Amino acid sequence: MSYTIAVLPGDGIGIEITAEAVKLLDYLQGRGLDIEMQQAPVGGAGYDAAGKPLPDETRVLVQAADAILLGAVGGPQYEDLPRDLRPERGLLGLRSELGLFANLRPAVLYPQLAAASSLKYDVVAGLDIMIVRELTGGIYFGEPRGIRDKASGEREGYNTLVYAESEIERIARVAFDIAMKRGKRLCSVDKANVLEVSELWREIVTKTGDDYPQVELSHMYVDNAAMQLVKWPKQFDVMVTKNMFGDILSDAAAMLTGSIGMLPSASLDQDSKGMYEPIHGSAPDIAGKGVANPLATILSVAMMLRYSLDQAALAEKIEQAVGRVLDRGLRTPDIMAEGCQQVGTLEMGEAVLAELSV
Ligand code: NAD
């Protein structure tokens, strides 16, 4: 099976880290993988090239591609642009246009990096959680929304939290399917004690669970989930939740691992076409210095192999290669620790490639 991959490096460190991931894909080409890669601008680079963050050429490419690898977008030089032309608009455009409704955010802590976490070693060493966040619905998209004048003369802001049964069921299925491939435990996070939307969410998730009798389903209120994530995160295997709760919980879970440069993510559509990107931004403070950690982007390639290209064995090979590089003590500055050897973006990428080829 041959696949087309759209590569969108974006801005800032996006360019440097994507280059390392592309080298890896180049290496895998012909070694179990048949791919064609095509590059296009997005974000600030899109604005520079074509006057908008999601140029038409990029739009056509991503529509036709089987998977998309994205670096990061944004930078101080674009901050004064009108809202519609800002780099982040390119990202939102990609997500909504491609119908990427399922956001997969793993929080994995390689035991070699446990000292980087702000939590105690025992609490986080070996942590491996998958948070499945609904990405195209809920309060971030619900209508009506706005700021209006009240009869009393003051203004009020309002948003609408709305989920249709079909939206809940499709994200629940993604989460159950992932749980089946992992520890077979799924925790659905809601606020069913207060919100009617959550009541329906709980009902539909439970009903969907009838099709997955091997998965142990539990429900948790979001306030308790936030507490439990910090108290004993290893109790979780897969978590599924709506857009806003997932936004917040996945960032909290990411920080348990202490290293923003290590965490990949995936956003999938109905047919497992996906966009894969590190969770961090374009890091203007270190862009162009050759010190950015490319591992989150390299691990995003592993997710792409697993979820869109049906190559779980190759994905595992990449993850193991990253583990061996960390075992050897190589560290970019963001994960540097005593007794380790500091390396730059390029050396880190090359080290993973070298481990992959042994
Ligand atoms: P950021 O994630 O870019 O950086 C936060 C901090 O983490 C910085 O100190 C940075 O140097 C460091 N960092 C991030 N990635 C790193 C890596 N791979 N290796 C080493 N260190 C790393 O967040 P920010 O500074 O708030 O945002 C910068 C720009 O990125 C803004 O324009 C923002 O809008 C944009 N942004 C884009 C995305 C995206 O493309 N998905 C996500 C978040 C922020």
Side-chain angles (χ1 to χ4, degrees), residues 13 17 70-76 79 87-88 91 95 260-262 277-287 291-297 332-335:
I13 62 167
I17 53 179
L70 179 87
V73 299
E79 269 163 20
E88 294 73 16
L91 261 193
R95 284 178 189 157
I260 199 170
M262 292 295 300
E277 56 182 313
I279 67 156
H280 59 72
S282 58
D285 53 333
I286 56 167
V291 296
N293 187 347
L295 292 179
T297 317
T332 43
D334 58 306
I335 50 172

Side-chain angles (χ1 to χ4, degrees), residues 88-104:
E88 294 73 16
R89 278 290 152 141
L91 261 193
L92 295 179
L94 282 169
R95 284 178 189 157
S96 61
E97 224 166 90
L98 296 173
L100 304 173
F101 69 91
N103 186 216
L104 277 46

Side-chain angles (χ1 to χ4, degrees), residues 11-12 36 46 78 85 98-99 103 107 120 162 179 183 193 285 349 356 358:
D11 309 314
E36 192 197 325
Y78 305 110
L85 296 179
L98 296 173
N103 186 216
K120 287 187 200 121
V162 56
N193 49 344
D285 53 333
L356 203 59
V358 288

Side-chain angles (χ1 to χ4, degrees), residues 263-277:
L263 295 175
S265 76
S267 305
L268 305 179
D269 79 356
Q270 196 68 60
D271 305 310
S272 296
K273 171 172 172 167
M275 184 160 86
Y276 298 84
E277 56 182 313

